[in-house]
Amino acid sequence: MIESESSGSRPRGQEPETTGRFIVVFADAEENAPGLLRSAAGMSHVADSRDFGTRAASPADTEGADATYYSHLGVAVVSADPQQQRALSSSSDEGTVISVSPELIHHVLTDEPGGASSSFQDSAQLTWGIQAVAADTSPFSGEGIRVAVLDTGFDSSHPDFAGRQITVESFVPGETAQDGHGHGTHCIGTSCGPRSPSEGPAYGVAYEAEIFAGKVLGDSGSGSDGGIIAGIDWAMANGCAVISMSLGADIPQVHPPYTAVGRRALDQGHLIIAAAGNGADRRQGDFGFVGAPANSPFIMAVGALDQHLEMAFFSARTLPIRGGQLDVAGPGFQVRSSWLMPDRYNTISGTSMATPHAAGVAALWAQASGYRGRELWSLMAQESQRLLQASVDVGSGLVMAPQE
């Protein structure tokens, strides 16, 4: 399962959590992956996302399948016995399969807020994060841009989103898209929330973007690779230029499926942005490391800043492997945003909170420039505000909204 970054750091140095299933990444040239699963591994029931069009291949649709193939990504989630696993692994020798990896469990990535005197601070009109990324002075709103937030779902009863174009889907077996945790509703609020909320300061960056809320983490705050990959495939099928994922597994290795998924998403014009992780405790000299999926070379990893634009104490540092670097940073400490009703709002901290700031800014740049995929990534990095911090902590700096 993958936990969202707002659930706190988990003990490090342990074996990664897995589900017992496997993620199979096929070679780019493999045109009949479902057929290969049937012939090489003897899987008789293979679900194919192409059969669902733009509609999600939900857990209910694929229940009982030996494998589910996601055509946009060239990736399958399979239930395989040892003999089938060996058959699929041997296909890598023939060049048809790139990798066969255990399916990981991910979690939300947040941390408890502490005290901080502010250089930026919430005002009656705007949260400090909106001010820091200069979204309040940008002439762009995200209009015409589709943003997918893959998280714990969305509270569709929230009054601040009445009348907004919001598409919801659940990829968690046995759960609807309704958010029972709060983390997803918070991240959606930061990335795409309103500028005229029912109470308090404005908190949304891309306030006119079209929202796609994919529930890939359950009400417990955890979810698996299979649900996340299904959510990414759904977001791509629906033309989402930006895909925001405030979740992660605390492992110091690149997880092969997300290398392929991130690259193929970029090649098709979709930018995936993910939280770096909350495994650090800088107060104790522990800098942590960027976990999966943010440590994919083709997924933009986001670190968290406090109101002084200093590193939040929990924000992970670059991992010294290919893909393990921090790419950009965003406001991630004591961030106010939407929450489950009746509470309506909540203030929490984490690289999970920095990520939707970056996703909202990406939507503004997508509107302003027309760029997608790799060009959008390059523009985001180029236009970031350089900080007096090491690049291993903040990458190219603080994400900044377009001003003209």
Side-chain angles (χ1 to χ4, degrees):
M1 293 177 181
I2 294 175
E3 297 178 352
S4 70
E5 292 186 315
S6 56
S7 61
S9 59
R10 297 170 48 243
R12 290 165 49 203
Q14 299 181 355
E15 289 297 314
E17 294 178 81
T18 60
T19 66
R21 299 193 302 180
F22 295 89
I23 309 298
V24 180
V25 179
F26 293 93
D28 290 338
E30 180 53 50
E31 298 180 353
N32 187 23
L36 180 63
L37 289 169
R38 295 186 184 98
S39 61
M43 295 180 177
S44 58
H45 185 185
V46 178
D48 190 332
S49 67
R50 288 173 289 195
D51 295 334
F52 300 92
T54 59
R55 186 172 69 84
S58 70
D61 292 323
T62 59
E63 184 179 6
D66 301 314
T68 302
Y69 176 66
Y70 297 99
S71 61
H72 288 92
L73 302 169
V75 173
V77 181
V78 307
S79 297
D81 60 32
Q83 183 177 353
Q84 291 172 316
Q85 182 191 353
R86 286 193 295 271
L88 290 168
S89 297
S90 67
S91 296
S92 63
D93 297 334
E94 302 168 9
T96 54
V97 169
I98 294 174
S99 65
V100 180
S101 307
E103 182 184 29
L104 297 180
I105 292 171
H106 302 251
H107 304 271
V108 296
L109 302 174
T110 59
D111 216 291
E112 291 300 317
S117 57
S118 301
S119 298
F120 288 96
Q121 59 183 343
D122 291 352
S123 69
Q125 293 76 37
L126 299 162
T127 60
W128 80 266
I130 296 295
Q131 299 170 60
V133 302
D136 56 318
T137 57
S138 175
F140 301 99
S141 64
E143 182 179 9
I145 304 301
R146 292 183 170 186
V147 176
V149 179
L150 305 182
D151 209 284
T152 63
F154 175 66
D155 185 354
S156 297
S157 69
H158 202 291
D160 285 358
F161 295 84
R164 289 288 296 277
Q165 182 67 38
I166 304 175
T167 303
V168 300
E169 186 61 65
S170 176
F171 301 92
V172 178
E175 296 188 19
T176 69
Q178 177 66 22
D179 188 0
H181 184 284
H183 189 269
T185 298
H186 195 279
C187 291
I188 288 169
T190 299
S191 58
C192 303
R195 288 294 173 85
S196 300
S198 52
E199 297 177 13
Y203 53 86
V205 177
Y207 57 93
E208 290 187 325
E210 186 177 344
I211 300 167
F212 283 72
K215 185 171 188 173
V216 301
L217 305 177
D219 293 341
S220 66
S222 298
S224 67
D225 285 327
I228 295 164
I229 289 169
I232 295 171
D233 192 82
W234 168 75
M236 292 171 62
N238 282 279
C240 295
V242 180
I243 301 172
S244 181
M245 305 197 309
S246 291
L247 48 81
D250 196 20
I251 60 170
Q253 301 86 25
V254 174
H255 193 33
Y258 293 107
T259 299
V261 164
R263 178 175 61 80
R264 289 167 182 173
L266 283 175
D267 288 346
Q268 296 174 56
H270 311 273
L271 174 60
I272 303 176
I273 301 174
N278 300 335
D281 189 345
R282 293 167 180 266
R283 300 166 299 186
Q284 303 298 323
D286 180 358
F287 296 98
F289 53 80
V290 178
N295 61 19
S296 161
F298 304 103
I299 291 177
M300 179 177 282
V302 187
L305 300 169
D306 67 16
Q307 295 95 324
H308 292 296
L309 302 186
E310 300 284 347
M311 294 311 300
F313 68 86
F314 48 79
S315 188
R317 173 170 282 184
T318 287
L319 182 66
I321 58 173
R322 178 174 180 260
Q325 71 270 13
L326 253 294
D327 295 303
V328 294
F333 191 73
Q334 298 178 338
V335 175
R336 185 181 195 269
S337 187
S338 45
W339 198 253
L340 304 183
M341 297 299 291
D343 293 339
R344 192 170 299 203
Y345 305 107
N346 197 7
T347 298
I348 56 177
S349 301
T351 51
S352 275
M353 286 59 259
T355 300
H357 278 100
V361 168
L364 300 187
W365 278 112
Q367 179 192 7
S369 66
Y371 289 173
R372 299 292 186 270
R374 296 175 189 274
E375 288 184 317
L376 182 57
W377 180 320
S378 178
L379 185 61
M380 287 271 291
Q382 174 184 316
E383 297 291 343
S384 293
Q385 176 183 326
R386 302 307 187 260
L387 301 172
L388 296 176
Q389 311 280 348
S391 63
V392 292
D393 290 325
V394 299
S396 60
L398 171 65
V399 294
M400 297 296 293
Q403 299 301 306
E404 57 182 28

